[in-house]
Amino acid sequence: ASCSHRRAEGMAEQKGEGKRTAEEADLTEPLTSLSGFRLDSILGSYPGKKLIALAGTLEGKEGKAVVILEKKSFDPDTIASDVMQGNNLQLDFDNAEYASYNAELPSNLNRITCSVIHPATDKHIAKFSKESIHMLAESPKAYTSVTLPYVEREELGKRIAWVHNIINGEKEKERVIFRDDDPDTGFILLPDMKWDQESASQLYCLAIVTRRDLLSLRSLSTQHLPLLRNLLSTGCAELERRFGVKSHHLRVYLHYQPTFYHLHVHFTHEQSEAPGIEAGRAHLLADVIDNLTLNPNYYQERTLHFSSRTSLGLYKEFVAAGLAPGGE
């Protein structure tokens, strides 16, 4: 199994802090196994996605940890030879032309992707937990009076230090697919943690803009069209050059609300069942460009509807403001 490990934003290094202590350095050491993981609870099991999310602790490390285990997808290019190498079948049942077997296949077909988040915040835990979800309507007034103050208070600073580490070239340099450092239209393209980089049909990449004054969809106006067009055209071109996936097979979108508040764009293959592609989360980048072409202040003037877990801090702010129900 492959295992990717990303430190939570709250523990990222801060500029000017000097050398890390031995304890701090240990937090970034890569794991070699999960033998030190102590399970506290199963956050969610998703049979359709072949995924399970676990919460617990890592031996010798402070704070909570989230471990996500997901079965790797089959590789169409090698599946024929892979199946022929190991075909130990045990009949479960047969009926006329139908038969079902339990199969023991080669080890490379039984691999999993293991993603670790440590230290994990309550927001990380909520993200992978099964819970009630409500649809909310955010008017321009609600954004300025509820959402923006909450984001500025709770979601910036240390919470996005890991993003700044990538922009500054201090972390994940080896994972960067493409980098454009233009101060106005630049971005960094890299694979999302959820993609194993083996199956092109499951492609999932993230483009993080290099400028730091844009939080989300709400920050965009007509002056940002050159940036958005560069993200769409150059991002698609680079993914075709690197992975052979043509633009008409790519789903390119922004989330609202986003998981983190530094403008970024998702690139996924149209065959991928990536989380957050549903209505209530995803806004196609091409539509965003068209909307801003028609109305320079489209995203400052309209009400945006989005889905939210009831345990999230922003949802509770909407409840306190009388803009969301408090119950299930």
Side-chain angles (χ1 to χ4, degrees):
S2 64
C3 192
S4 57
H5 181 197
R6 174 167 285 168
R7 296 175 66 207
E9 300 89 331
M11 294 296 292
E13 294 178 65
Q14 296 300 299
K15 185 176 181 181
E17 285 186 350
K19 293 183 178 180
R20 295 174 295 165
T21 65
E23 180 183 10
E24 289 172 328
D26 181 62
L27 286 170
T28 62
E29 291 298 320
L31 301 175
T32 57
S33 78
L34 290 177
S35 60
F37 179 70
R38 300 293 178 262
L39 177 65
D40 290 336
S41 63
I42 297 175
L43 299 178
S45 178
Y46 307 89
K49 298 179 180 179
K50 305 294 190 294
L51 180 150
I52 190 167
L54 313 173
T57 57
L58 295 172
E59 186 176 6
K61 300 180 186 291
E62 294 185 0
K64 302 173 184 177
V66 171
V67 173
I68 305 101
L69 304 175
E70 183 177 9
K71 287 276 191 178
K72 285 182 176 287
S73 58
F74 291 108
D75 184 350
D77 296 330
T78 63
I79 188 63
S81 59
D82 286 341
V83 171
M84 291 298 292
Q85 290 175 13
N87 52 9
N88 185 7
L89 302 179
Q90 295 178 345
L91 181 66
D92 186 14
F93 77 89
D94 62 350
N95 184 356
E97 67 267 39
Y98 302 102
S100 175
Y101 298 87
N102 292 312
E104 294 181 9
L105 297 176
S107 59
N108 63 303
L109 292 181
N110 293 316
R111 293 176 300 165
I112 63 172
T113 296
C114 167
S115 299
V116 179
I117 303 174
H118 177 269
T121 65
D122 290 341
K123 186 174 182 179
H124 292 123
I125 292 173
K127 178 179 179 179
F128 293 99
S129 300
K130 283 189 173 181
E131 60 179 298
S132 179
I133 294 177
H134 287 185
M135 293 298 300
L136 299 179
E138 179 193 76
S139 66
K141 181 179 179 181
Y143 174 72
T144 57
S145 63
V146 180
T147 304
L148 185 58
Y150 173 82
V151 169
E152 293 176 337
R153 185 177 68 249
E154 301 290 343
E155 299 289 349
L156 303 182
K158 292 183 178 181
R159 292 295 297 276
I160 57 170
W162 67 273
V163 178
H164 295 164
N165 287 340
I166 293 174
I167 294 172
N168 295 337
E170 297 170 358
K171 298 287 184 179
E172 305 189 42
K173 288 185 291 186
E174 70 285 352
R175 301 181 69 246
V176 172
I177 297 169
F178 171 81
R179 184 179 185 106
D180 176 354
D181 287 313
D182 185 280
D184 296 318
T185 63
F187 66 94
I188 298 168
L189 186 65
L190 69 168
D192 189 273
M193 289 175 60
K194 291 180 281 295
W195 183 40
D196 59 16
Q197 299 184 59
E198 294 183 4
S199 175
S201 65
Q202 298 302 308
L203 181 146
Y204 192 159
C205 290
L206 206 62
I208 299 174
V209 303
T210 54
R211 58 190 293 175
R212 307 188 186 197
D213 59 332
L214 302 176
L215 303 179
S216 70
L217 201 58
R218 284 288 194 190
S219 304
L220 298 175
S221 65
T222 189
Q223 66 177 301
H224 303 118
L225 283 173
L227 166 64
L228 301 178
R229 289 172 176 144
N230 188 41
L231 281 160
L232 184 60
S233 61
T234 305
C236 289
E238 285 299 319
L239 292 178
E240 179 176 356
R241 180 186 66 83
R242 183 70 176 268
F243 303 108
V245 179
K246 295 187 180 298
S247 61
H248 56 261
H249 286 305
L250 289 173
R251 185 187 291 113
V252 187
Y253 56 94
L254 298 87
H255 280 153
Y256 197 79
Q257 302 285 335
T259 303
F260 61 94
Y261 289 84
H262 178 108
L263 190 71
H264 58 284
V265 174
H266 302 258
F267 291 76
T268 64
H269 196 286
E270 47 86 14
Q271 292 183 17
S272 170
E273 297 179 359
I277 60 175
E278 69 276 0
R281 287 293 309 282
H283 297 252
L284 292 174
L285 180 55
D287 288 341
V288 173
I289 291 171
D290 286 346
N291 290 337
L292 290 174
T293 302
L294 293 171
N295 180 351
N297 298 309
Y298 183 88
Y299 291 101
Q300 284 81 49
E301 296 176 354
R302 67 154 293 182
T303 294
L304 295 179
H305 299 263
F306 63 92
S307 60
S308 175
R309 292 180 173 85
T310 56
S311 65
L312 293 181
L314 180 59
Y315 182 86
K316 294 174 182 178
E317 294 289 316
F318 269 67
V319 171
L323 299 174
E328 293 295 308

